[in-house]
Amino acid sequence: MYNNSERRKFDPAKFDSSKSANSFEWPFRLNFYDKSPWYEVSLEDFERYALDRLRVLAEIESSFARNRSWEELKSVTTRQCKDHLPLNSSSASTVDTQTERRNDHLGHFVLRLAFCRSEDLRRRFVKAETALFRVRYESDDTKERELFLQSRDFKWTEVNSEEKLQYASELKGLGIQQPEEGVPTTERLYKVRWTQVPDLVNKRRVLLKDGWAYVPSKEQLSIVLRAFEANLENALDSTARSIMRMDGDTRLTEILNHMSRGFVAGVASEYSGPTTGDEIRADMVDDLAKRHFPLCMRNLHECLMRDRHLKHFGRLQYGLFLKVLGLSIDEAIAFWRKSFSNLTDDKFNKEYKYNIRHSFGLEGKRANYPAKSCQQILLTDKPGPSDCHGCPYRHFAPDNLQTSLLATYSSQGLTSTDLAEVMRTVKEGHYHVACTRVFEITHAAAGVKKGDGIGEGESVTHPNQYAAKSIEIEKAQRGDAMAVE
């Protein structure tokens, strides 16, 4: 990834905003990522900027799974980029665009290392990166975009007036009209080999002549996107052949392995404090579970109420969730003591109380453990036949999942008609998308529409995120009702 002879530290202070665009390291907002990083980076930056980019790409993949329209995907991606991956045009005089582009450049190449390892990962990475490039292309400054296109060789030739007149009658089939007889159209046309635009050929949006495709200017983006895809596919193949050299560096391989799982359940922030704004009491948990908990936590709660016990990983998953939801240490001990009603006080204190205090950072190494994200639940501590932890969307058999969904959420608006869509996303492996769709359906009465997710189109990536948003919606409804009264 790095060339030792060229390696150097990146220094934003050396850039002079008065220079021309071409004198910068990254002259354009758009980037084909031809040149790998040639500067030193810290391990913290290596991970940080890759995760920022992964958050955006994971949401793009979720958008594909949720069958969003291009405009919806573009809107969600733009918001995600604003939060995690800002990239301004060169005309933004108050922003350090070179640092933004350096971070974007670094994040792309780290993820290239993470996603080059299998054909499926490469395919998904190329699809998401191409969508991100298109979002940026369509929102780019017109002048800057034109300069970027001129800076690269896309192997196209602009069609001259003679050819426009020669094929005038055939071009009419593409909706390109002459202003008058004998006068060529003023619309730009580009001539490329048809193999560069197979999608346009398939949709009959180009004129084919002797192996050449005559592409209207409105379809120019297809040439650019196909070039971007081909460039990235070749680069990933090359990276895959070279990745073996890095397998000995456990610092990097652990980070990269973690990132390659990012498409499974998105990338969640760690929740380290109460998400509801209120402390939860032990006697409130049962009611909250029935109204606000995602299926994984609802299943754990019902198993606990039924069996009066949970195995270790179930207690860990559910206990950390409740802690972050707002259950204090005293209330947590009261809740678990009441739930384990078939145990004596002595047995409970000896075998379980210590672990509860440990999860709150009051025993052992006194670490304040965060609640498990969807990715952690999906990929670690796989449940056995008699376990209750894990993700139902992944770990339940299809028939059991459908039965559980109807039993759990039919009172909140989920019907058997909705199951087909949910089960389709489960079958495709988009478990967090299925959970997001269930959230939308069960909160439709509160005004949540399909595509809204848990807010601004975002997908569920953490159980506490689901519960907190559900509680927030209920509070807003309650406030509106009081205002009306």
Side-chain angles (χ1 to χ4, degrees):
M1 182 175 177
Y2 304 103
N3 185 329
N4 286 328
S5 64
E6 295 180 344
R7 184 182 296 169
R8 55 184 172 76
K9 290 186 176 180
F10 174 80
D11 182 8
K14 78 185 183 68
F15 294 107
D16 180 359
S17 60
S18 65
K19 293 181 180 179
S20 65
N22 289 328
S23 65
F24 285 139
E25 299 279 358
W26 294 276
F28 307 109
R29 179 171 176 259
L30 300 174
N31 196 341
F32 266 43
Y33 307 101
D34 299 304
K35 189 174 182 180
S36 60
W38 59 94
Y39 40 83
E40 289 184 0
V41 296
S42 66
L43 200 60
E44 181 183 358
D45 284 351
F46 183 91
E47 184 172 15
R48 174 187 173 187
Y49 296 120
L51 280 174
D52 286 343
R53 190 181 197 87
L54 185 56
R55 293 181 200 280
V56 177
L57 297 185
E59 195 59 47
I60 289 174
E61 167 128 322
S62 294
S63 294
F64 289 135
R66 294 165 71 179
N67 290 321
R68 282 181 171 142
S69 67
W70 172 251
E71 289 305 316
E72 289 173 328
L73 183 150
K74 184 177 178 180
S75 176
V76 169
T77 303
T78 300
R79 284 196 297 268
Q80 288 282 312
C81 285
K82 184 177 180 181
D83 293 338
H84 304 296
L85 200 64
L87 199 65
N88 288 276
S89 63
S90 299
S91 58
S93 57
T94 60
V95 178
D96 186 353
T97 57
Q98 289 300 297
T99 298
E100 285 185 342
R101 294 171 190 182
R102 180 259 190 186
N103 297 341
D104 173 78
H105 183 259
L106 174 61
H108 170 88
F109 275 93
V110 176
L111 292 187
R112 189 183 284 187
L113 292 173
F115 286 92
C116 72
R117 296 167 178 241
S118 73
E119 182 63 34
D120 179 60
L121 287 175
R122 290 195 291 270
R123 176 185 57 78
R124 294 163 74 177
F125 182 65
V126 169
K127 186 176 181 181
E129 279 283 348
T130 303
L132 176 60
F133 180 88
R134 181 182 171 187
V135 168
R136 289 173 169 175
Y137 183 95
E138 293 184 354
S139 62
D140 203 22
D141 177 82
T142 305
K143 182 179 179 181
E144 188 175 335
R145 182 172 61 203
E146 191 62 32
L147 288 172
F148 168 76
L149 294 177
Q150 292 172 11
S151 72
R152 298 190 63 86
D153 180 13
F154 288 98
K155 296 182 172 57
W156 63 41
T157 304
E158 191 165 345
V159 179
N160 58 35
S161 298
E162 291 182 7
E163 282 189 289
K164 287 180 182 179
L165 286 174
Q166 182 181 354
Y167 300 123
S169 59
E170 289 146 297
L171 289 172
K172 286 181 181 179
L174 300 177
I176 300 174
Q177 303 291 335
Q178 294 174 270
E180 58 182 273
E181 190 66 32
V183 178
T185 179
T186 56
E187 182 174 342
R188 285 186 174 183
L189 288 165
Y190 301 92
K191 186 166 70 171
V192 298
R193 286 294 179 184
W194 74 269
T195 51
Q196 290 180 240
V197 285
D199 56 326
L200 296 182
V201 173
N202 185 53
K203 296 173 183 177
R204 300 177 183 272
R205 292 183 179 175
V206 295
L207 171 65
L208 287 178
K209 287 290 181 181
D210 301 324
W212 293 95
Y214 290 75
V215 183
S217 58
K218 63 183 179 182
E219 305 291 354
Q220 183 185 34
L221 175 59
S222 285
I223 305 174
V224 179
L225 292 181
R226 183 69 191 102
F228 181 85
E229 287 179 347
N231 191 71
L232 184 52
E233 286 167 356
N234 291 334
L236 285 169
D237 287 340
S238 177
T239 305
R241 291 192 294 271
S242 306
I243 196 69
M244 302 291 280
R245 303 174 195 169
M246 293 184 58
D247 286 346
D249 191 335
T250 56
R251 298 173 307 162
L252 299 184
T253 52
E254 288 179 9
I255 292 173
L256 296 175
N257 288 336
H258 173 73
M259 289 178 184
S260 65
R261 303 182 188 119
F263 280 158
V264 176
V267 183
S269 300
E270 288 187 347
Y271 284 72
S272 56
T275 53
T276 62
D278 297 318
E279 184 174 306
I280 305 300
R281 299 190 310 276
D283 58 5
M284 296 168 60
V285 174
D286 189 59
D287 185 52
L288 288 171
K290 293 173 182 176
R291 300 206 316 272
H292 302 298
F293 287 7
L295 189 59
C296 55
M297 299 304 163
R298 186 77 176 266
N299 178 61
L300 283 165
H301 182 78
E302 290 176 358
C303 288
L304 177 60
M305 295 298 102
R306 182 191 67 215
D307 302 333
R308 292 297 166 185
H309 186 263
L310 282 177
K311 291 187 177 181
H312 171 73
F313 289 120
R315 296 196 304 273
L316 183 64
Q317 182 175 320
Y318 195 38
L320 292 174
F321 167 82
L322 291 175
K323 181 188 82 167
V324 172
L325 194 67
L327 202 66
S328 68
I329 178 60
D330 292 333
E331 291 295 326
I333 291 172
F335 170 77
W336 288 104
R337 179 66 193 97
K338 182 180 178 182
S339 299
F340 284 14
S341 57
N342 55 349
L343 300 180
T344 65
D345 286 344
D346 186 56
K347 185 176 179 64
F348 177 82
N349 289 335
K350 284 182 177 179
E351 298 184 13
Y352 298 101
K353 189 174 181 179
Y354 176 88
N355 286 335
I356 296 169
R357 289 176 54 81
H358 188 276
S359 68
F360 277 79
L362 301 176
E363 301 287 356
K365 64 179 182 180
R366 301 184 182 274
N368 185 23
Y369 296 97
K372 290 182 176 290
S373 68
C374 292
Q375 187 182 97
Q376 291 171 311
I377 292 171
L378 282 164
L379 300 173
T380 61
D381 306 325
K382 184 178 179 181
S386 60
D387 288 324
C388 298
H389 68 279
C391 172
Y393 296 100
R394 179 171 192 175
H395 298 125
F396 279 18
D399 289 344
N400 292 343
L401 176 58
Q402 293 182 72
T403 301
S404 181
L405 283 168
L406 287 175
T408 305
Y409 294 117
S410 58
S411 62
Q412 293 175 263
L414 185 77
T415 67
S416 55
T417 308
D418 300 314
L419 291 179
E421 182 182 3
V422 174
M423 296 307 295
R424 175 184 61 79
T425 55
V426 169
K427 185 177 180 181
E428 293 172 352
H430 301 294
Y431 309 110
H432 64 307
V433 174
C435 187
T436 303
R437 183 65 189 122
V438 169
F439 180 92
E440 292 170 342
I441 294 168
T442 55
H443 292 80
V448 177
K449 301 186 292 294
K450 182 177 181 179
D452 285 352
I454 56 167
E456 297 186 333
E458 190 175 350
S459 301
V460 174
T461 56
H462 200 294
N464 284 88
Q465 184 187 33
Y466 182 113
K469 188 63 178 180
S470 180
I471 294 170
E472 178 187 320
I473 290 172
E474 183 180 76
K475 283 184 176 180
Q477 275 191 302
R478 196 182 301 152
D480 290 344
M482 291 177 64
V484 171
E485 290 175 5

